[in-house]
Amino acid sequence: MEALTNYHSDDEGSESAVDESARLHLKSDVSIDAMKSALAIDSAPKIESKREIVKVIPVDVSSKEVTYNPKYEELEAPKVGPDNPFLTKLQSATKNTLSGYVETAHVNDFLFESQRRTFSSYGYAIDPSFENQHGNYVGDVEKAMETDGLTVFEKGRTKPEKRKREARGEAGDLENFKGPWAPFEDELKIAVPSEEEQEIGRA
């Protein structure tokens, strides 16, 4: 046994310094307890985690789920990797659609439809960028202040005045009868240019 412990290969000089613990079982004067303690296998050795080696772990931007609790520095850290030098600032921005970044939001159908119809009918609507704040309008703000921001579904809205037409005349009077085609009272009619305007046009 002792001869085997002193045996080594002359051809391989790097293997001459063999660990003593690896040859401990070949010695005759070693107790079994010492061999157990020296050759014991640790089933759960202490290893360095990735977080201890890398202080800031990059977060994948395309991932929709994070399986650990990252720090603020990790979430707000710049992107890792080369940038495309041919992309503009708008093209390199984070977006989930072709036109930009869209966030999910809850919108009440009735409120949205009332504001849409109010804007298309009366030219103003509540500014959606101000939440729970009245008095902020887009469009015709003066008209909104006059009507106190009433929508098309609320009472108090006066219908717009209809344009009045000239008298239709009698059906028996063929020359002066206008019928339902009577022009409006405030309608601008095309007039023949005056003599001065005609001279200016000729010159």
Side-chain angles (χ1 to χ4, degrees):
M1 282 291 182
E2 292 181 359
L4 291 174
T5 58
N6 297 326
Y7 174 78
H8 64 275
S9 176
D10 295 334
D11 297 335
E12 300 176 359
S14 60
E15 297 180 0
S16 60
V18 183
D19 190 9
E20 290 295 329
S21 61
R23 300 183 298 176
L24 191 62
H25 64 284
L26 299 175
K27 294 183 179 180
S28 59
D29 57 344
V30 179
S31 63
I32 297 175
D33 295 333
M35 291 176 59
K36 286 182 179 179
S37 61
L39 301 176
I41 299 175
D42 190 1
S43 60
K46 184 180 179 181
I47 58 174
E48 294 182 352
S49 63
K50 187 177 181 181
R51 184 174 288 275
E52 293 177 355
I53 299 173
V54 183
K55 297 300 180 182
V56 178
I57 300 177
V59 180
D60 188 6
V61 182
S62 60
S63 64
K64 297 182 180 180
E65 182 181 358
V66 181
T67 57
Y68 66 98
N69 188 14
K71 296 181 179 180
Y72 173 79
E73 292 80 8
E74 297 176 359
L75 290 175
E76 298 298 328
K79 286 185 178 181
V80 179
D83 294 332
N84 190 345
F86 301 104
L87 294 179
T88 61
K89 187 176 181 180
L90 183 62
Q91 291 174 338
S92 60
T94 304
K95 53 186 177 180
N96 55 4
T97 61
L98 293 176
S99 58
Y101 188 82
V102 179
E103 295 182 355
T104 57
H106 172 71
V107 180
N108 189 293
D109 294 337
F110 175 75
L111 294 178
F112 178 82
E113 191 64 21
S114 65
Q115 294 301 319
R116 186 189 68 80
R117 293 187 181 185
T118 302
F119 187 82
S120 61
S121 300
Y122 305 110
Y124 67 87
I126 297 176
D127 192 350
S129 59
F130 294 91
E131 296 183 359
N132 300 326
Q133 293 184 9
H134 297 286
N136 298 304
Y137 298 95
V138 292
D140 194 350
V141 181
E142 296 180 357
K143 190 174 182 181
M145 293 300 180
E146 292 176 0
T147 58
D148 198 17
L150 295 177
T151 63
V152 292
F153 296 105
E154 295 175 337
K155 293 182 179 180
R157 169 69 60 190
T158 57
K159 294 183 180 180
E161 296 181 358
K162 292 184 178 180
R163 297 174 65 185
K164 294 183 179 180
R165 294 181 178 272
E166 296 180 357
R168 297 184 179 184
E170 297 293 335
D173 190 359
L174 298 179
E175 294 182 358
N176 298 324
F177 179 68
K178 299 176 182 177
W181 304 279
F184 295 102
E185 293 180 354
D186 56 348
E187 184 177 353
L188 296 177
K189 298 180 180 179
I190 300 175
V192 179
S194 61
E195 294 180 358
E196 296 178 358
E197 292 176 349
Q198 291 179 5
E199 290 178 0
I200 294 172
R202 293 169 185 171

Coordinates of all heavy atoms in Angstrom, one line a residue, residues 99-176:
S99 N -48.0 52.5 -34.3 CA -48.1 53.9 -34.1 C -47.5 54.4 -32.8 O -47.3 55.6 -32.6 CB -49.5 54.4 -34.2 OG -50.3 53.7 -33.2
G100 N -47.2 53.5 -31.9 CA -46.6 53.9 -30.6 C -46.9 52.9 -29.5 O -47.1 51.7 -29.8
Y101 N -46.9 53.4 -28.3 CA -47.1 52.6 -27.1 C -48.6 52.8 -26.6 O -48.9 53.9 -26.3 CB -46.1 52.9 -26.0 CG -46.2 51.9 -24.9 CD1 -45.5 50.7 -24.9 CD2 -46.9 52.2 -23.7 CE1 -45.6 49.8 -23.9 CE2 -46.9 51.3 -22.7 CZ -46.2 50.1 -22.8 OH -46.3 49.2 -21.7
V102 N -49.3 51.7 -26.5 CA -50.7 51.8 -26.1 C -50.9 51.1 -24.8 O -50.4 49.9 -24.6 CB -51.7 51.2 -27.2 CG1 -53.1 51.3 -26.7 CG2 -51.5 51.9 -28.5
E103 N -51.5 51.8 -23.8 CA -51.7 51.2 -22.5 C -53.2 50.8 -22.4 O -54.1 51.5 -22.9 CB -51.3 52.1 -21.4 CG -49.8 52.4 -21.3 CD -49.5 53.3 -20.1 OE1 -50.5 53.8 -19.5 OE2 -48.3 53.6 -19.9
T104 N -53.5 49.7 -21.7 CA -54.8 49.3 -21.5 C -55.5 50.2 -20.5 O -54.9 50.6 -19.5 CB -54.9 47.9 -21.0 OG1 -54.1 47.8 -19.8 CG2 -54.3 46.9 -22.0
A105 N -56.7 50.6 -20.8 CA -57.5 51.6 -19.9 C -58.9 51.2 -20.0 O -59.4 50.7 -21.0 CB -57.2 53.0 -20.3
H106 N -59.7 51.5 -18.9 CA -61.1 51.3 -18.9 C -61.8 52.6 -19.3 O -61.6 53.7 -18.7 CB -61.6 50.8 -17.5 CG -63.1 50.8 -17.4 ND1 -63.8 49.8 -18.0 CD2 -63.9 51.6 -16.7 CE1 -65.1 50.0 -17.7 NE2 -65.2 51.1 -17.0
V107 N -62.7 52.6 -20.3 CA -63.4 53.8 -20.7 C -64.9 53.4 -20.7 O -65.3 52.4 -21.3 CB -63.0 54.2 -22.1 CG1 -63.8 55.4 -22.6 CG2 -61.5 54.5 -22.1
N108 N -65.7 54.2 -20.0 CA -67.1 54.0 -20.0 C -67.7 54.3 -21.4 O -67.4 55.4 -22.0 CB -67.7 54.9 -18.9 CG -69.2 54.6 -18.7 OD1 -70.0 54.8 -19.6 ND2 -69.5 54.1 -17.5
D109 N -68.4 53.4 -21.9 CA -69.0 53.6 -23.3 C -69.9 54.8 -23.4 O -69.9 55.5 -24.4 CB -69.7 52.3 -23.7 CG -68.7 51.1 -23.9 OD1 -67.5 51.4 -24.1 OD2 -69.2 50.0 -23.8
F110 N -70.8 54.9 -22.4 CA -71.7 56.0 -22.4 C -71.0 57.4 -22.4 O -71.4 58.3 -23.1 CB -72.7 55.9 -21.3 CG -73.7 57.0 -21.2 CD1 -74.8 57.2 -22.1 CD2 -73.6 58.0 -20.3 CE1 -75.6 58.2 -22.1 CE2 -74.4 59.1 -20.2 CZ -75.5 59.2 -21.1
L111 N -70.1 57.5 -21.5 CA -69.4 58.8 -21.3 C -68.6 59.1 -22.6 O -68.6 60.3 -23.1 CB -68.4 58.8 -20.1 CG -69.1 58.7 -18.8 CD1 -68.0 58.6 -17.7 CD2 -70.0 59.9 -18.5
F112 N -68.0 58.1 -23.2 CA -67.2 58.4 -24.4 C -68.1 58.8 -25.5 O -67.8 59.7 -26.3 CB -66.4 57.1 -24.8 CG -65.7 57.2 -26.1 CD1 -64.4 57.8 -26.1 CD2 -66.2 56.7 -27.3 CE1 -63.7 58.0 -27.3 CE2 -65.5 56.9 -28.4 CZ -64.2 57.5 -28.4
E113 N -69.3 58.1 -25.7 CA -70.2 58.4 -26.8 C -70.8 59.8 -26.6 O -71.0 60.5 -27.5 CB -71.3 57.3 -26.8 CG -72.1 57.4 -28.1 CD -71.4 57.1 -29.4 OE1 -70.3 56.5 -29.3 OE2 -71.8 57.5 -30.4
S114 N -71.1 60.1 -25.3 CA -71.7 61.5 -25.1 C -70.8 62.6 -25.4 O -71.1 63.6 -26.0 CB -72.2 61.6 -23.6 OG -71.0 61.5 -22.7
Q115 N -69.5 62.4 -25.1 CA -68.5 63.4 -25.4 C -68.2 63.5 -26.9 O -68.0 64.6 -27.5 CB -67.2 63.2 -24.6 CG -67.3 63.3 -23.1 CD -67.8 64.7 -22.7 OE1 -67.4 65.7 -23.3 NE2 -68.7 64.8 -21.7
R116 N -68.3 62.3 -27.5 CA -68.0 62.3 -29.0 C -69.2 63.0 -29.7 O -68.9 63.9 -30.6 CB -67.9 60.9 -29.5 CG -67.5 60.8 -31.0 CD -67.6 59.3 -31.4 NE -69.0 58.9 -31.5 CZ -69.9 59.2 -32.5 NH1 -69.5 59.9 -33.5 NH2 -71.1 58.7 -32.5
R117 N -70.4 62.8 -29.3 CA -71.5 63.4 -30.0 C -71.6 64.9 -29.6 O -72.0 65.7 -30.5 CB -72.8 62.7 -29.5 CG -73.0 61.3 -30.1 CD -74.3 60.7 -29.8 NE -74.5 59.3 -30.2 CZ -75.6 58.6 -30.2 NH1 -76.7 59.2 -29.6 NH2 -75.6 57.4 -30.6
T118 N -71.2 65.2 -28.4 CA -71.2 66.7 -28.0 C -70.2 67.4 -28.8 O -70.5 68.5 -29.3 CB -70.9 66.8 -26.5 OG1 -71.9 66.1 -25.8 CG2 -71.0 68.3 -26.1
F119 N -69.1 66.8 -29.1 CA -68.0 67.5 -29.8 C -68.4 67.6 -31.3 O -68.2 68.7 -31.9 CB -66.7 66.8 -29.7 CG -65.6 67.5 -30.4 CD1 -64.9 68.5 -29.7 CD2 -65.2 67.2 -31.7 CE1 -63.8 69.2 -30.3 CE2 -64.1 67.8 -32.3 CZ -63.4 68.8 -31.6
S120 N -69.0 66.6 -31.9 CA -69.4 66.6 -33.3 C -70.6 67.6 -33.5 O -70.8 68.1 -34.6 CB -69.8 65.2 -33.8 OG -70.9 64.7 -33.0
S121 N -71.5 67.7 -32.5 CA -72.7 68.6 -32.6 C -72.4 70.0 -32.2 O -72.9 71.0 -32.9 CB -73.8 68.0 -31.8 OG -74.2 66.7 -32.2
Y122 N -71.7 70.3 -31.1 CA -71.5 71.6 -30.6 C -70.1 72.1 -30.5 O -69.8 73.2 -30.1 CB -72.1 71.7 -29.2 CG -73.6 71.2 -29.2 CD1 -73.9 70.0 -28.6 CD2 -74.6 72.0 -29.8 CE1 -75.3 69.6 -28.6 CE2 -75.9 71.5 -29.8 CZ -76.2 70.4 -29.2 OH -77.5 69.9 -29.2
G123 N -69.1 71.3 -30.9 CA -67.8 71.7 -31.0 C -66.9 71.8 -29.8 O -65.8 72.3 -29.8
Y124 N -67.3 71.2 -28.7 CA -66.5 71.1 -27.5 C -66.7 69.8 -26.8 O -67.8 69.1 -27.0 CB -66.8 72.3 -26.6 CG -68.2 72.3 -26.0 CD1 -68.4 71.6 -24.8 CD2 -69.2 73.0 -26.6 CE1 -69.7 71.6 -24.2 CE2 -70.5 72.9 -26.0 CZ -70.7 72.2 -24.8 OH -72.0 72.2 -24.3
A125 N -65.8 69.4 -26.0 CA -65.9 68.2 -25.1 C -64.9 68.4 -24.0 O -64.0 69.2 -24.0 CB -65.5 67.0 -26.0
I126 N -65.1 67.5 -23.0 CA -64.2 67.6 -21.8 C -62.9 67.0 -22.2 O -62.7 66.0 -22.8 CB -64.8 66.7 -20.6 CG1 -66.2 67.4 -20.2 CG2 -63.9 66.7 -19.4 CD1 -66.9 66.6 -19.1
D127 N -61.8 67.7 -21.7 CA -60.5 67.3 -22.0 C -60.2 66.0 -21.2 O -60.2 66.0 -20.0 CB -59.5 68.4 -21.5 CG -58.1 68.2 -22.1 OD1 -57.8 67.1 -22.6 OD2 -57.2 69.1 -22.0
P128 N -59.9 64.9 -21.9 CA -59.6 63.6 -21.2 C -58.3 63.6 -20.5 O -58.1 62.7 -19.7 CB -59.7 62.6 -22.4 CG -59.2 63.4 -23.6 CD -59.8 64.8 -23.4
S129 N -57.4 64.5 -20.7 CA -56.1 64.5 -20.0 C -56.2 64.9 -18.6 O -55.3 64.7 -17.8 CB -55.1 65.3 -20.8 OG -55.5 66.7 -20.8
F130 N -57.3 65.6 -18.2 CA -57.6 66.0 -16.8 C -58.6 65.1 -16.2 O -59.8 65.1 -16.6 CB -58.0 67.4 -16.7 CG -57.0 68.4 -17.2 CD1 -56.9 68.8 -18.5 CD2 -56.0 68.9 -16.3 CE1 -55.9 69.7 -19.0 CE2 -55.1 69.8 -16.7 CZ -55.0 70.2 -18.1
E131 N -58.2 64.2 -15.3 CA -59.2 63.3 -14.7 C -59.9 64.0 -13.5 O -59.3 64.6 -12.7 CB -58.4 62.1 -14.2 CG -57.8 61.2 -15.3 CD -57.2 60.0 -14.8 OE1 -57.2 59.8 -13.6 OE2 -56.6 59.2 -15.6
N132 N -61.2 63.8 -13.5 CA -62.1 64.2 -12.4 C -61.9 65.7 -12.2 O -62.0 66.2 -11.0 CB -61.7 63.5 -11.1 CG -61.9 62.0 -11.2 OD1 -62.8 61.5 -11.9 ND2 -61.1 61.2 -10.5
Q133 N -61.8 66.5 -13.2 CA -61.7 67.9 -13.1 C -62.6 68.5 -14.2 O -62.4 68.3 -15.4 CB -60.2 68.4 -13.3 CG -59.3 68.0 -12.2 CD -57.9 68.6 -12.4 OE1 -57.7 69.5 -13.3 NE2 -57.0 68.2 -11.6
H134 N -63.6 69.3 -13.7 CA -64.5 70.0 -14.6 C -64.0 71.4 -15.0 O -63.2 72.0 -14.2 CB -65.9 70.0 -14.0 CG -66.5 68.7 -13.8 ND1 -67.0 67.9 -14.8 CD2 -66.7 68.0 -12.6 CE1 -67.4 66.7 -14.2 NE2 -67.3 66.8 -12.9
G135 N -64.4 71.9 -16.1 CA -63.9 73.2 -16.5 C -62.8 73.2 -17.5 O -62.4 74.2 -18.0
N136 N -62.3 72.0 -17.8 CA -61.2 71.8 -18.8 C -61.8 71.2 -20.1 O -62.3 70.1 -20.1 CB -60.1 71.0 -18.3 CG -59.4 71.5 -17.1 OD1 -59.0 72.7 -17.1 ND2 -59.4 70.8 -16.0
Y137 N -61.9 72.0 -21.1 CA -62.5 71.6 -22.4 C -61.6 71.7 -23.5 O -60.6 72.5 -23.5 CB -63.8 72.4 -22.7 CG -64.8 72.3 -21.6 CD1 -64.9 73.3 -20.5 CD2 -65.8 71.3 -21.6 CE1 -65.9 73.2 -19.6 CE2 -66.7 71.2 -20.6 CZ -66.8 72.1 -19.6 OH -67.7 72.0 -18.6
V138 N -61.9 71.0 -24.6 CA -61.2 71.2 -25.9 C -62.2 71.6 -26.9 O -63.3 71.2 -26.8 CB -60.5 69.8 -26.3 CG1 -59.4 69.5 -25.3 CG2 -61.5 68.7 -26.3
G139 N -61.7 72.3 -27.9 CA -62.6 72.8 -28.9 C -63.0 74.2 -28.6 O -62.2 75.1 -28.3
D140 N -64.3 74.5 -28.8 CA -64.9 75.8 -28.6 C -65.1 76.0 -27.1 O -66.2 75.7 -26.5 CB -66.3 75.9 -29.3 CG -66.7 77.4 -29.4 OD1 -66.1 78.2 -28.7 OD2 -67.7 77.7 -30.1
V141 N -64.1 76.6 -26.4 CA -64.2 76.7 -24.9 C -65.2 77.7 -24.5 O -65.9 77.6 -23.5 CB -62.8 77.0 -24.4 CG1 -62.8 77.1 -22.9 CG2 -61.7 75.9 -24.8
E142 N -65.3 78.9 -25.3 CA -66.2 79.9 -24.9 C -67.7 79.4 -24.9 O -68.5 79.7 -24.0 CB -66.1 81.1 -25.9 CG -64.7 81.8 -25.8 CD -64.6 82.9 -26.8 OE1 -65.5 83.1 -27.5 OE2 -63.5 83.6 -26.8
K143 N -68.0 78.6 -25.9 CA -69.3 78.1 -26.0 C -69.6 77.1 -24.9 O -70.7 77.0 -24.4 CB -69.5 77.4 -27.4 CG -71.0 77.0 -27.7 CD -71.1 76.5 -29.1 CE -72.5 76.1 -29.4 NZ -72.7 75.6 -30.8
A144 N -68.6 76.4 -24.5 CA -68.7 75.4 -23.4 C -69.0 76.2 -22.1 O -69.8 75.7 -21.2 CB -67.5 74.5 -23.3
M145 N -68.3 77.3 -21.9 CA -68.5 78.1 -20.7 C -69.9 78.7 -20.7 O -70.6 78.8 -19.6 CB -67.5 79.2 -20.6 CG -66.1 78.7 -20.4 SD -65.9 77.7 -18.8 CE -64.2 77.2 -18.9
E146 N -70.4 79.1 -21.8 CA -71.8 79.7 -21.9 C -72.8 78.7 -21.5 O -73.8 79.0 -20.8 CB -72.0 80.3 -23.3 CG -71.2 81.5 -23.6 CD -71.4 82.0 -25.0 OE1 -72.2 81.3 -25.7 OE2 -70.7 82.9 -25.4
T147 N -72.7 77.5 -22.0 CA -73.7 76.4 -21.7 C -73.4 75.6 -20.5 O -74.1 74.6 -20.3 CB -73.8 75.5 -23.0 OG1 -72.5 75.0 -23.2 CG2 -74.2 76.3 -24.2
D148 N -72.3 76.0 -19.8 CA -71.9 75.2 -18.6 C -71.6 73.8 -18.9 O -71.7 72.9 -18.1 CB -73.0 75.3 -17.5 CG -72.5 74.9 -16.1 OD1 -71.3 75.0 -15.9 OD2 -73.3 74.6 -15.3
G149 N -71.1 73.5 -20.1 CA -70.6 72.2 -20.5 C -71.7 71.1 -20.6 O -71.4 70.0 -20.4
L150 N -72.9 71.6 -20.9 CA -73.9 70.6 -21.1 C -73.7 69.7 -22.3 O -73.3 70.2 -23.3 CB -75.3 71.2 -21.2 CG -75.8 72.0 -19.9 CD1 -77.1 72.7 -20.2 CD2 -75.9 71.1 -18.7
T151 N -74.0 68.4 -22.2 CA -73.9 67.5 -23.3 C -75.2 67.4 -24.1 O -76.2 67.9 -23.7 CB -73.4 66.1 -22.8 OG1 -74.4 65.6 -22.0 CG2 -72.1 66.2 -22.0
V152 N -75.2 66.6 -25.1 CA -76.4 66.4 -25.9 C -77.4 65.6 -25.2 O -78.6 65.6 -25.6 CB -76.0 65.7 -27.3 CG1 -75.2 66.7 -28.2 CG2 -75.3 64.4 -27.0
F153 N -77.0 64.9 -24.2 CA -78.0 64.0 -23.4 C -78.6 64.8 -22.2 O -79.4 64.2 -21.6 CB -77.3 62.7 -23.0 CG -76.9 61.9 -24.1 CD1 -75.5 61.8 -24.4 CD2 -77.8 61.1 -24.8 CE1 -75.1 61.0 -25.5 CE2 -77.4 60.3 -25.9 CZ -76.1 60.2 -26.2
E154 N -78.1 66.0 -21.9 CA -78.6 66.7 -20.7 C -79.6 67.7 -21.1 O -79.6 68.3 -22.2 CB -77.4 67.3 -20.0 CG -76.4 66.4 -19.5 CD -75.2 67.1 -18.9 OE1 -74.9 68.2 -19.2 OE2 -74.5 66.4 -18.0
K155 N -80.5 68.0 -20.2 CA -81.6 69.0 -20.4 C -81.0 70.4 -20.2 O -80.0 70.6 -19.6 CB -82.7 68.8 -19.4 CG -83.5 67.5 -19.6 CD -84.7 67.4 -18.6 CE -85.5 66.1 -18.8 NZ -86.6 66.0 -17.9
G156 N -81.8 71.3 -20.8 CA -81.3 72.7 -20.8 C -80.6 73.1 -22.1 O -80.3 74.3 -22.3
R157 N -80.4 72.2 -22.9 CA -79.8 72.5 -24.2 C -80.9 73.0 -25.1 O -81.9 72.4 -25.4 CB -79.2 71.2 -24.8 CG -78.8 71.3 -26.2 CD -77.6 72.2 -26.4 NE -76.5 71.7 -25.7 CZ -75.4 72.5 -25.5 NH1 -75.3 73.7 -26.0 NH2 -74.4 72.0 -24.8
T158 N -80.7 74.2 -25.6 CA -81.7 74.8 -26.6 C -81.2 74.4 -28.0 O -80.0 74.4 -28.3 CB -81.6 76.3 -26.5 OG1 -80.3 76.8 -26.7 CG2 -82.1 76.7 -25.1
K159 N -82.2 74.0 -28.8 CA -81.9 73.6 -30.1 C -81.5 74.8 -31.0 O -81.9 75.9 -30.7 CB -83.2 73.0 -30.8 CG -83.6 71.7 -30.1 CD -84.8 71.1 -30.8 CE -85.2 69.8 -30.2 NZ -86.4 69.2 -30.9
P160 N -80.6 74.6 -31.9 CA -80.2 75.7 -32.7 C -81.3 76.3 -33.5 O -82.2 75.5 -34.0 CB -79.1 75.1 -33.6 CG -79.3 73.7 -33.6 CD -79.9 73.4 -32.2
E161 N -81.4 77.6 -33.7 CA -82.4 78.3 -34.4 C -82.3 77.9 -35.9 O -81.2 78.0 -36.5 CB -82.4 79.8 -34.2 CG -82.6 80.2 -32.8 CD -82.5 81.7 -32.6 OE1 -82.3 82.4 -33.7 OE2 -82.8 82.2 -31.5
K162 N -83.5 77.6 -36.5 CA -83.5 77.3 -37.9 C -83.5 78.6 -38.7 O -84.1 79.6 -38.3 CB -84.7 76.4 -38.2 CG -84.7 75.0 -37.6 CD -85.9 74.2 -38.1 CE -85.8 72.8 -37.5 NZ -87.0 72.0 -38.0
R163 N -82.9 78.5 -39.8 CA -82.9 79.7 -40.7 C -84.3 79.9 -41.3 O -84.9 78.9 -41.8 CB -81.8 79.5 -41.8 CG -80.4 79.4 -41.2 CD -79.4 79.1 -42.4 NE -79.3 80.1 -43.3 CZ -78.6 80.1 -44.5 NH1 -78.0 79.0 -44.7 NH2 -78.6 81.1 -45.3
K164 N -84.7 81.1 -41.3 CA -86.1 81.4 -41.8 C -86.0 81.6 -43.3 O -85.1 82.2 -43.8 CB -86.7 82.6 -41.1 CG -86.9 82.4 -39.6 CD -87.6 83.6 -39.0 CE -87.8 83.3 -37.5 NZ -88.5 84.5 -36.8
R165 N -87.1 81.2 -44.0 CA -87.2 81.4 -45.4 C -88.1 82.5 -45.7 O -88.9 82.9 -44.9 CB -87.6 80.1 -46.1 CG -86.6 78.9 -46.0 CD -87.1 77.7 -46.8 NE -86.2 76.6 -46.8 CZ -85.2 76.4 -47.7 NH1 -85.1 77.3 -48.7 NH2 -84.4 75.4 -47.6
E166 N -88.0 83.0 -46.9 CA -89.0 84.0 -47.3 C -90.3 83.4 -47.6 O -90.5 82.2 -47.6 CB -88.4 84.7 -48.6 CG -87.1 85.4 -48.4 CD -86.6 86.1 -49.7 OE1 -87.3 85.9 -50.7 OE2 -85.6 86.8 -49.7
A167 N -91.3 84.3 -47.7 CA -92.7 83.8 -47.9 C -92.8 83.0 -49.2 O -92.2 83.4 -50.2 CB -93.6 85.0 -47.9
R168 N -93.5 81.9 -49.2 CA -93.6 81.0 -50.4 C -94.5 81.7 -51.5 O -94.2 81.4 -52.6 CB -94.3 79.7 -50.0 CG -93.4 78.9 -49.0 CD -94.1 77.6 -48.7 NE -93.2 76.7 -47.8 CZ -93.5 75.5 -47.5 NH1 -94.7 74.9 -48.0 NH2 -92.8 74.8 -46.7
G169 N -95.5 82.5 -51.0 CA -96.4 83.1 -52.0 C -97.5 82.1 -52.3 O -97.6 81.0 -51.9
E170 N -98.4 82.6 -53.2 CA -99.6 81.9 -53.6 C -99.3 81.0 -54.8 O -98.6 81.4 -55.7 CB -100.8 82.9 -53.9 CG -101.2 83.7 -52.7 CD -101.9 82.8 -51.6 OE1 -102.4 81.8 -52.0 OE2 -101.9 83.3 -50.5
A171 N -99.9 79.8 -54.8 CA -99.7 78.9 -55.9 C -100.3 79.4 -57.2 O -99.8 79.1 -58.3 CB -100.2 77.5 -55.5
G172 N -101.3 80.3 -57.1 CA -101.9 80.8 -58.3 C -101.1 81.8 -59.0 O -101.2 82.1 -60.2
D173 N -100.2 82.5 -58.2 CA -99.4 83.5 -58.8 C -98.1 82.8 -59.3 O -97.2 82.6 -58.5 CB -99.0 84.6 -57.7 CG -98.3 85.8 -58.3 OD1 -98.1 85.8 -59.5 OD2 -98.0 86.7 -57.5
L174 N -98.1 82.6 -60.6 CA -97.0 81.8 -61.1 C -95.7 82.5 -61.2 O -94.6 81.9 -61.0 CB -97.3 81.3 -62.6 CG -98.6 80.4 -62.7 CD1 -98.8 80.1 -64.1 CD2 -98.4 79.2 -61.9
E175 N -95.7 83.9 -61.2 CA -94.5 84.6 -61.3 C -93.8 84.8 -60.0 O -92.6 84.8 -59.8 CB -94.8 86.0 -62.0 CG -95.2 85.9 -63.4 CD -95.4 87.3 -64.0 OE1 -95.3 88.3 -63.3 OE2 -95.8 87.3 -65.2
N176 N -94.6 85.0 -58.9 CA -94.1 85.2 -57.6 C -94.1 84.0 -56.7 O -93.7 84.1 -55.5 CB -94.9 86.4 -56.9 CG -94.7 87.7 -57.7 OD1 -93.7 87.9 -58.3 ND2 -95.8 88.4 -57.8

